Amino acid sequence: MASLNFFPHTSSPSCSSSSSFRSGCSFLRPNSSINLQSFRRTHTRSRSLVVKSTAGDTSVADPPPSFSGDRVSSSDSISHLKLTLLSAVSGLNRGLAANEDDLRKADAAAKELEAAGGLVDLSADLDKLQGRWRLIYSSAFSSRTLGGSRPGPPTGRLLPITLGQVFQRIDILSKDFDNIVEVQLGAPWPFPPLDATATLAHKFELIGSSKIKITFEKTTVKTAGNLSQLPPFELPRIPDSFRPPSNTGSGEFEVTYLDTDTRVTRGDRGELRVFVIS
């Protein structure tokens, strides 16, 4: 996954309108609730699972019971581990609010799911990549920059940037791989904040059974809200001679878990990212 940077480079990700943001927000709004409907299953257990939403995040009030031995099927075990991972990353604002303990818990939950799911073979399951995926967690965001493990604008009060939803749109036929980022840019009073969607376009190729390489092409910005009538415009690309060594125009990541609604990836700098189908 390319970095979430508004300046073209690859290590960053159609989108909703300006309603995705809350006006007057001074920091980062919580991510919208994770859809757990597909993970709810009817189990004959002595304890029931209670899922409730707080501040736009999904939390598990009563953790699911531990499954062991031959008492459960493989699909039940996978469902349980997926829910455990989603519970571990909920409330972390996609990783922007994660501390070291949160990072360890998310990584441990992801490793359990990866082990249970087995090796990913994209040559056989490439069709599962198709679609629009919503980012619900990135360990790289704990760096407090939108670039994650790579250069990018800082979050917080240094710059008036509020991060909205982040998506990846993948087309397995055209090999398009777009990172789509909703942002809100603050403006001095009395001007309203500016809502915009940045699309960082890439091409992708398989370089192994589970590894993907993406190559950056361009960044396009489309304004929303009161300025939605303006046409999209393309940001000029930084000449290769001026690119820092960390911004080579391409990046690699490994898909470590994949099914029809959940995807887990590990970046070339160790970043853990979790996506759900949108």
Side-chain angles (χ1 to χ4, degrees), residues 4 22 31-32 36 40 50-51 54 66 113 115 142 163 176-177 210 212 258 261 264:
L4 307 180
R22 296 176 180 174
N31 55 310
S32 61
L36 294 180
R40 289 178 177 167
V50 179
V51 179
T54 57
S66 297
L113 178 60
S142 64
L163 180 66
D176 289 333
F177 191 104
S210 61
I212 292 176
L258 178 65
D261 55 31
V264 179

Side-chain angles (χ1 to χ4, degrees), residues 225-245:
N226 294 332
L227 299 178
S228 60
Q229 70 276 12
L230 296 178
F233 61 92
E234 184 176 331
L235 295 181
R237 181 170 181 172
I238 301 174
D240 292 341
S241 58
F242 290 98
R243 289 177 178 272

